[in-house]
Amino acid sequence: MNFFVEQWPLITVAIAIILLLVLIMGFKLNTFIALIITAFTTALLLGMPLDKVVATVETGMGGTLGHIALIFGLGAMLGKLLADGGGATRIANTLINRFGLKNIQWAVVIASFIIGIALFFEVGLVLLIPIVYTIAKETKLPALHLGIPMAAALSVTHGFLPPHPGPVLIAKEYGANLGEVLLYGFIVGVPVAIIAGPVFNKLAKKIAPTAFTKEGDISSLGKNVHFKLEDTPGFGISTLTALFPVILMLMATIVKLIVGAQNITPGNGIKALYLLGDASTAMLLSIIFAIFTMGLGRKRPMKDVMQSVTDAIYPIGMMLLIIGAGGAFKQVLIDGGVGKHVETLFTHSDFSPIILAWLVAAVLRIALGSATVAAISTTGIIIPLLAASDVNVALVVLATGAGSVIASHVNDAGFWMFKEYFGLSVKETLLTWTLLETIISVTGLIFILLLSMFV
């Protein structure tokens, strides 16, 4: 009985996860509603004062959205401008033409990585799959031969690199510098994308050979803007537009690291660079840049350009609510004492916060399906441990992101998207997509731990 009482915070977390699963999978409730119900229920089970429950939920939701809504919204706009302006098509086709048939997988990886930085996972998938199918048809290659490298690159950018919502949100909650997360994310993400893409592709053909004979269905992608290559902007300007926020953030981060290492007092010039490299400022400047490069500079009427901006926001409304609800659940875990309980359990242990963050995120991902929700919920458990550790917080952000993409299966929308688009059976999807996501997660953790030896 004493053990039951002592471990009640952790037992409550287990009950909350089961409840969330039942509401989403059993009762088919909308994820936002399910998360809010779970947050309130968890607060009551943890014995929070009744007059504090609503305030905690509101604080968690507001605090989460207050930081990422701006970056998230601007990121969606940048991706839509890049797609509707033809820039994404130009990047993909140019790399494919330059690399040739023999190295076509590497072209797809690089194109997907560049495009994936500017586009959210689902948007990138919708944009790139028709291109992949067109190339596969012209080269007489199986669609999945190019689909795996594409999915690997998109998943890596989704899990590791700002301005994607997961890394941005985790960095905010942990108090990590977004530029550092981006820098280390590149160092980890590039080899992971190679291993999970072209390298894993060879294994996938052996363990799921029938998957590479299927014809998928992309009719559900709806109407897409199709461009002739000569009607798209140049490769250089398209790539610069996609990477503009990354360049600004990396510049500021490198300068900040140099200034910190040399104990220099930053002057107004350096502070101005810091401002330009802040994620929100970088995204805003990138939107202004993209309006010209993907819009006005290509003689598109301002009305059409602004329509692209408006269209970018509609699909992310529910996603923002889900992220906010995840923040509410996270705040309940913190204010309800779960974080402190975990801190007590691990304060005098040698358990690395990097490994713990990955493990918690992985368990939640497998249980809940959503990578973003898994990442948000993990922060509420890990935050109290960071104060007592000297670990690099940016690496804990990446570890949480790595854990949150593991083993996508039947409770994840991405699983079903991949299955239907490539015409696979459930078994074939498990042997390709699920294994691919697991490789990204595990190899990501390995590279993060290696990097932790040096930073």
Side-chain angles (χ1 to χ4, degrees), residues 80 131 138 195-196 208 220 264 301 316 332 342 384:
K80 187 64 173 171
I131 297 173
E138 291 176 357
I195 293 169
S220 62
I264 301 171
I316 68 170
V332 165
V342 174

Side-chain angles (χ1 to χ4, degrees), residues 81-82 85-95 98 114-115 227-243 289-290 292-295 297-298:
L81 287 169
L82 193 69
T89 301
R90 167 66 77 168
I91 292 169
N93 281 283
T94 299
L95 287 171
R98 295 271 175 86
I114 294 172
I115 293 169
F227 295 92
K228 294 180 180 178
L229 200 58
E230 60 269 21
D231 295 333
T232 59
F235 175 74
I237 197 66
S238 298
T239 304
L240 180 60
T241 303
L243 297 180
F289 186 62
F292 285 94
T293 60
M294 297 292 120
R298 302 195 60 243

Side-chain angles (χ1 to χ4, degrees), residues 138-171:
E138 291 176 357
T139 56
K140 296 181 172 57
L141 289 168
L144 196 60
H145 176 75
L146 305 179
I148 284 178
M150 174 201 70
L154 288 177
S155 291
V156 166
T157 59
H158 176 70
F160 295 141
L161 300 180
H164 286 269
V168 169
L169 177 63
I170 305 164

Side-chain angles (χ1 to χ4, degrees), residues 140-369:
K140 296 181 172 57
L141 289 168
L144 196 60
H145 176 75
L146 305 179
I148 284 178
M150 174 201 70
L154 288 177
S155 291
V156 166
T157 59
H158 176 70
F160 295 141
L161 300 180
H164 286 269
V168 169
L169 177 63
I170 305 164
K172 182 259 179 182
E173 296 296 343
Y174 289 162
N177 179 279
L178 262 185
E180 277 192 43
V181 174
L182 185 60
L183 179 62
Y184 298 148
F186 269 116
I187 295 171
V188 171
V190 170
V192 168
I194 291 170
I195 293 169
V199 175
F200 168 64
N201 218 359
K202 295 178 181 178
L203 175 64
K205 289 175 183 176
K206 293 179 180 178
I207 62 175
T210 56
F212 289 81
T213 63
K214 300 294 183 68
E215 290 187 10
D217 178 17
I218 58 173
S219 60
S220 62
L221 295 179
K223 184 180 178 181
N224 288 285
V225 181
H226 296 284
F227 295 92
K228 294 180 180 178
L229 200 58
E230 60 269 21
D231 295 333
T232 59
F235 175 74
I237 197 66
S238 298
T239 304
L240 180 60
T241 303
L243 297 180
F244 198 69
V246 175
I247 293 168
L248 290 177
M249 284 191 278
L250 281 180
M251 282 174 55
T253 300
I254 291 168
V255 171
K256 192 171 290 186
L257 290 172
I258 294 171
V259 168
Q262 298 184 3
N263 293 319
I264 301 171
T265 301
N268 287 334
I270 293 177
K271 288 180 180 177
L273 182 60
Y274 289 171
L275 175 63
L276 293 176
D278 181 85
S280 297
T281 313
M283 291 306 303
L284 178 60
L285 292 174
S286 298
I287 290 295
I288 296 170
F289 186 62
I291 287 172
F292 285 94
T293 60
M294 297 292 120
L296 302 181
R298 302 195 60 243
K299 310 300 183 186
R300 288 180 65 198
M302 178 61 89
K303 181 181 177 182
D304 289 354
V305 177
M306 289 302 101
Q307 188 60 49
S308 291
V309 168
T310 302
D311 290 345
I313 298 303
Y314 294 135
I316 68 170
M318 181 54 68
M319 199 178 299
L320 280 171
L321 283 177
I322 290 170
I323 291 170
F329 180 46
K330 174 266 306 179
Q331 196 63 42
V332 165
L333 293 178
I334 293 175
D335 291 358
V338 173
K340 283 291 183 185
H341 183 73
V342 174
E343 180 184 11
T344 302
L345 289 177
F346 289 96
T347 295
H348 300 295
S349 75
D350 295 325
F351 211 82
S352 167
I354 290 176
I355 296 176
L356 183 63
W358 179 86
L359 190 60
V360 172
V363 170
L364 290 174
R365 156 68 159 185
I366 292 168
L368 303 177

